[in-house]
Amino acid sequence: MVPSGDRSEIAFFDLETTIPFRAGQKHEILEFGSILVCPKKLVELRSYTQLVRPANLNHITDRSVNCNGIKREDVKSKPTFADIADDVYNILHGRVWAGHNILRFDIPRIREAFAEIGRDPPEPKGTIDSLVLLTQKFGRRAGDMKMATLATYFGIGNQTHRSLDDVRMNFEVLKYCATVLFLESSLPDELIENSVTTTTTPETSSRRRRNTRTSPVSEETAESTTAIPILSFVSPAGSQTNPFDMSTLSNEIASETLQPDITIPSIKAVQVPLYHGSQITKPQLVLGDNKPLQLRCPDLKVRFGISGKFMDNAGRRKLNFVIDLCPSLCNVLQECDSAAKTISVDSGSGSDWNTVIIPVKGCLNSPTARIHIPIGLSGDVDRYAAEIHQRELSGATSTQKLISRNPSAEELESLVNPGTVLDAFLSLEPYDYQQRAGIRLVARKLVIH
């Protein structure tokens, strides 16, 4: 069906989907919601919402229900996506599309859904991703830029994670942010400075970004230190152009571990630019000298081998394995956890915090942690951005033989098994995604014993 008539309205839309729980599984649309907005008067002209029955009702798991509240019985008698495809096409095709995080999530899901029924997808006249737009223009004064956090910041209610409600909330948030920015543009600079300092850091005001350079992180005066008997802390002297370049990292990591009586500066979390020159920031764990924190952890024992049952948005397997933790490593990770949680709370995040240490019941069981293998930057579905070495003993000394610079999933599954002992060179990456926040331990290099 070919759309006709005026297509000048902005189509705000949102999807609710299932959550994949095994490799190769896709998100299936459970609900489509949209409003058409007059771009000149910013009023809602009409709306549309429809629950959708997925091809397999068993893909609606408890995790999916916890996210959006849509149960199997809610959709089992509803139309399929093929049944509503004409409506969706007529709403979207030839209009400007708007929504929160639509570039990375909703638009790919729409294209997948049309491809599955053998139809050409609708095409936009333009796109407005409010997550990207507000991060650039409004800054992080409202926290993590999730829709729920923005709505709480402006006091306009709680996010329901239902399509039509979320679309209308998105529209309201945009209007509030636009009003604030419009008013700020009319105020003297000194009033802007005074009005934002109580709720944000220096880099979060778009007005200030145009007129000042971001202030450096202030030095902490706290003298707290932690004794770390089995870890080497690595702070690269210079920035790496490619964070996955193992040759640079290998040269910078000390070959010996710290002695038991050596202490290190306190660990803290700071906001740093997403990339060189960027005004968008991300949290990062650093040592007392503000250099990125990396860990060398020798003699780790694998509790559970490689698991890859979850997928990223591009359909690539996310691999991880679980290690046992000794008390000294637990102390370090607890300090990292505390620092990252503090900056998360201070930024306004309302996400549930997941501790990096996984407690295990029973006095005979040690706590554990999950180590993630980074997915390759090249886009190769089955290649991962880590170095794998084999430790070889020669008398009283040991050497490392490179096995793979970009291992496949099969290589990792064959090498990292329960009971395997290895040395791990790790980076620590704070995350905040889908109302869940915490720290990921990311393996940059593994040395198999």
Side-chain angles (χ1 to χ4, degrees):
M1 185 179 297
V2 179
S4 60
D6 183 17
R7 314 296 290 176
S8 63
E9 306 100 332
I10 300 173
F12 281 79
F13 73 99
D14 179 71
L15 301 175
E16 296 299 333
T17 71
T18 60
I19 299 176
F21 55 86
R22 64 168 178 259
Q25 193 177 88
K26 296 181 179 180
H27 296 80
E28 294 192 54
I29 295 175
L30 297 177
E31 188 176 41
F32 175 87
S34 177
I35 61 174
L36 295 184
V37 171
C38 172
K40 295 182 179 180
K41 298 183 179 180
L42 293 183
V43 294
E44 180 182 326
L45 301 175
R46 67 179 189 268
S47 65
Y48 176 93
T49 183
Q50 179 62 60
L51 287 168
V52 179
R53 184 177 78 249
N56 189 339
L57 289 173
N58 290 329
H59 290 174
I60 303 177
T61 61
D62 290 342
R63 187 180 176 202
S64 174
V65 174
N66 289 337
C67 181
N68 51 46
I70 300 175
K71 302 176 181 178
R72 296 178 190 178
E73 55 266 30
D74 296 331
V75 297
K76 64 181 180 181
S77 61
K78 299 300 180 181
T80 65
F81 185 81
D83 296 328
I84 69 165
D86 281 344
D87 293 334
V88 175
Y89 192 92
N90 285 333
I91 290 169
L92 296 180
H93 188 68
R95 289 193 169 98
V96 173
W97 297 358
H100 205 67
N101 199 31
I102 58 172
L103 291 176
R104 292 185 61 185
F105 186 80
D106 301 80
I107 292 177
R109 304 292 86 78
I110 286 289
R111 296 189 185 281
E112 288 171 2
F114 274 90
E116 287 174 1
I117 62 174
R119 291 186 50 171
D120 291 334
E123 295 296 339
K125 184 161 53 178
T127 57
I128 302 171
D129 191 321
S130 56
L131 175 61
V132 177
L133 177 66
L134 295 182
T135 300
Q136 293 174 343
K137 301 298 184 182
F138 196 68
R140 291 193 178 271
R141 70 183 83 183
D144 58 15
M145 306 310 290
K146 292 182 179 180
M147 187 52 56
T149 308
L150 288 161
T152 299
Y153 179 82
F154 289 114
I156 56 177
N158 297 319
Q159 186 180 14
T160 65
H161 291 285
R162 294 299 298 271
S163 292
L164 191 58
D165 289 344
D166 286 2
V167 163
R168 286 176 170 149
M169 177 171 281
N170 189 188
F171 183 36
E172 289 301 307
V173 163
L174 274 173
K175 289 194 290 186
Y176 273 85
C177 290
T179 300
V180 170
L181 293 174
F182 173 75
L183 292 174
E184 285 185 355
S185 69
S186 304
L187 293 173
D189 286 347
E190 59 270 18
L191 293 183
I192 301 298
E193 295 285 336
N194 293 334
S195 67
V196 300
T197 51
T198 58
T199 59
T200 183
T201 55
E203 60 266 23
T204 56
S205 167
S206 58
R207 176 75 174 269
R208 296 176 69 184
R209 284 200 300 265
R210 293 194 298 267
N211 297 310
T212 64
R213 300 184 65 178
T214 302
S215 301
V217 179
S218 60
E219 294 292 332
E220 291 187 348
T221 58
E223 297 294 331
S224 62
T225 59
T226 306
I228 311 299
I230 67 161
L231 303 176
S232 293
F233 288 79
V234 183
S235 296
S239 60
Q240 295 176 201
T241 56
N242 179 1
F244 297 99
D245 183 354
M246 293 297 103
S247 60
T248 306
L249 180 61
S250 300
N251 293 334
E252 292 165 347
I253 294 179
S255 59
E256 67 277 4
T257 59
L258 295 179
Q259 298 303 312
D261 59 344
I262 295 178
T263 58
I264 63 164
S266 60
I267 298 168
K268 58 185 177 181
V270 298
Q271 293 284 0
V272 298
L274 186 61
Y275 52 85
H276 181 70
S278 172
Q279 299 294 339
I280 304 173
T281 63
K282 63 176 181 178
Q284 185 179 75
L285 287 163
V286 299
L287 294 175
D289 55 4
N290 289 333
K291 292 182 178 179
L293 172 64
Q294 294 174 322
L295 302 180
R296 174 184 181 267
C297 305
D299 302 321
L300 298 177
K301 186 175 181 180
V302 177
R303 171 78 67 88
F304 300 116
I306 293 292
S307 171
K309 62 182 179 179
F310 296 112
M311 314 291 287
D312 69 1
N313 288 335
R316 299 171 297 188
R317 293 175 66 197
K318 298 194 290 186
L319 301 185
N320 63 80
F321 62 96
V322 175
I323 58 164
D324 290 325
L325 297 177
C326 62
S328 55
L329 182 51
C330 277
N331 291 337
V332 176
L333 296 181
Q334 285 172 345
E335 185 172 347
C336 293
D337 210 54
S338 176
K341 185 176 181 180
T342 296
I343 200 170
S344 175
V345 172
D346 290 347
S347 72
S349 173
S351 299
D352 294 332
W353 188 263
N354 300 314
T355 58
V356 67
I357 298 173
I358 306 171
V360 178
K361 293 182 179 180
C363 60
L364 297 179
N365 291 320
S366 62
T368 62
R370 195 177 306 276
I371 294 181
H372 299 263
I373 310 293
I375 295 174
L377 292 179
S378 65
D380 193 324
V381 172
D382 198 33
R383 289 288 167 179
Y384 293 83
E387 274 190 10
I388 307 296
H389 292 250
Q390 183 77 48
R391 191 172 77 168
E392 298 181 332
L393 293 176
S394 177
T397 63
S398 64
T399 59
Q400 296 178 15
K401 176 184 177 182
L402 178 65
I403 298 177
S404 178
R405 199 174 295 276
N406 291 104
S408 67
E410 288 74 17
E411 286 178 298
L412 288 162
E413 287 169 336
S414 67
L415 292 168
V416 183
N417 299 298
T420 298
V421 178
L422 50 79
D423 301 342
F425 298 83
L426 309 174
S427 62
L428 295 89
E429 300 178 355
Y431 67 89
D432 195 333
Y433 179 68
Q434 290 188 346
Q435 304 300 310
R436 299 169 71 86
I439 300 171
R440 286 191 182 92
L441 301 179
V442 180
R444 303 303 181 185
K445 175 181 174 182
L446 299 175
V447 181
I448 310 295
H449 288 205

